[in-house]
Amino acid sequence: MKIALLAFFLVLCKVGVDAKRQCSQVDLKKCELMLTEYTRNPDNWSEEHKSILYCEFVQRRVDCYENLRCDHTRNIKGMDLTIIKWLGLIKPGLKIMRALGLCDATESTIEIDYDNPCDEYYIQKNCSEYLSDYLKSRYALTCSAMLKASPCFRTGRAKCGIPQNQPKGFVSPYAALAKQGHCRLFYDPSDPVFQKQEDYRTKHGLDYFAYF
């Protein structure tokens, strides 16, 4: 009984220490690797509902950041940003996608004007599908997908005269990752998942080069 209590106490101490530890690029790398493994697997792809892949990709990024065992209130090493603030940049967009039914049609809570090509639904849908296609590439970088996201949504809103939801001078945290050399490709040519990708493209008549 004493040994069990001691072990439990040590676990609590370790969690406490981890929670106070400054978040690092090593922590972020674990999330990017997990996201890569999810998005490169054709079992998670769909041609009927393309936007789901990007939506699930963003949801999993949120889940991973929320579960990092380090101090979410301190700046990440090498970045002028905390995990809490980073999540604050991601969650509003995810909330909109879900409310528009782009992740799960049953979650739709916003009235959509399907006859208006400038309805927020189409801006979100077009970019989500574009980013989903990119993530299907063998050489897709998970942080590059996020770098592609901001210009896509910004351009769509600008064409339709919709106010932007990013402040002037906004600097993407993914740009900081790329600048520091942490936007990297996780690629093993011997991984059987790549044959599954080719089989998927053949089955659906897709052009591989369309995914760059």
Side-chain angles (χ1 to χ4, degrees), residues 7-31 61-74 76-77 83 87:
F8 180 68
F9 176 74
L10 289 174
V11 168
L12 286 179
C13 287
K14 186 178 189 304
V15 170
V17 170
D18 284 348
K20 293 178 181 178
R21 176 179 60 80
Q22 185 178 15
C23 297
S24 69
Q25 299 298 332
V26 173
D27 295 304
L28 300 180
K29 181 180 177 181
K30 291 176 183 177
C31 291
R61 182 179 290 282
V62 167
D63 294 342
C64 191
Y65 285 0
E66 286 184 334
N67 288 290
L68 287 177
R69 291 175 59 179
C70 52
D71 192 342
H72 292 191
T73 66
R74 297 169 60 193
I76 303 162
K77 289 181 180 177
I83 292 295
L87 286 168

Side-chain angles (χ1 to χ4, degrees), residues 2-67:
K2 288 183 178 180
I3 294 176
L5 287 173
L6 178 60
F8 180 68
F9 176 74
L10 289 174
V11 168
L12 286 179
C13 287
K14 186 178 189 304
V15 170
V17 170
D18 284 348
K20 293 178 181 178
R21 176 179 60 80
Q22 185 178 15
C23 297
S24 69
Q25 299 298 332
V26 173
D27 295 304
L28 300 180
K29 181 180 177 181
K30 291 176 183 177
C31 291
E32 299 309 313
L33 179 57
M34 178 276 293
L35 290 167
T36 299
E37 290 175 347
Y38 177 80
T39 57
R40 71 169 34 151
N41 187 347
D43 291 343
N44 302 318
W45 298 357
S46 171
E47 294 308 302
E48 184 179 356
H49 302 292
K50 283 188 178 183
S51 61
I52 291 178
L53 177 62
Y54 177 67
C55 182
E56 288 299 315
F57 164 73
V58 177
Q59 181 64 67
R60 279 165 170 73
R61 182 179 290 282
V62 167
D63 294 342
C64 191
Y65 285 0
E66 286 184 334
N67 288 290

Side-chain angles (χ1 to χ4, degrees), residues 99-153:
L100 289 168
L102 292 171
C103 306
D104 182 341
T106 63
E107 294 180 335
S108 180
T109 58
I110 297 178
E111 186 175 348
I112 300 168
D113 182 359
Y114 292 103
D115 294 326
N116 178 11
C118 277
D119 190 277
E120 180 70 19
Y121 169 78
Y122 289 110
I123 294 172
Q124 293 283 334
K125 182 177 184 292
N126 292 339
C127 288
S128 296
E129 292 184 351
Y130 159 68
L131 294 163
S132 289
D133 277 348
Y134 169 74
L135 287 168
K136 292 175 184 177
S137 168
R138 176 172 296 185
Y139 305 107
L141 302 176
T142 50
C143 50
S144 286
M146 301 303 279
L147 282 171
K148 289 174 177 287
S150 291
C152 185
F153 291 116

Side-chain angles (χ1 to χ4, degrees), residues 145-200:
M146 301 303 279
L147 282 171
K148 289 174 177 287
S150 291
C152 185
F153 291 116
R154 192 165 56 244
T155 300
R157 291 192 179 98
K159 287 181 178 178
C160 290
I162 298 174
Q164 301 294 338
N165 59 0
Q166 290 179 347
K168 289 185 177 180
F170 170 77
V171 178
S172 169
Y174 309 98
L177 286 181
K179 187 175 181 180
Q180 295 171 19
H182 297 296
C183 189
R184 293 161 47 191
L185 175 68
F186 301 101
Y187 174 65
D188 177 2
S190 66
D191 191 333
V193 75
F194 296 120
Q195 185 56 53
K196 288 179 65 176
Q197 289 183 357
E198 296 305 327
D199 293 342
Y200 180 96

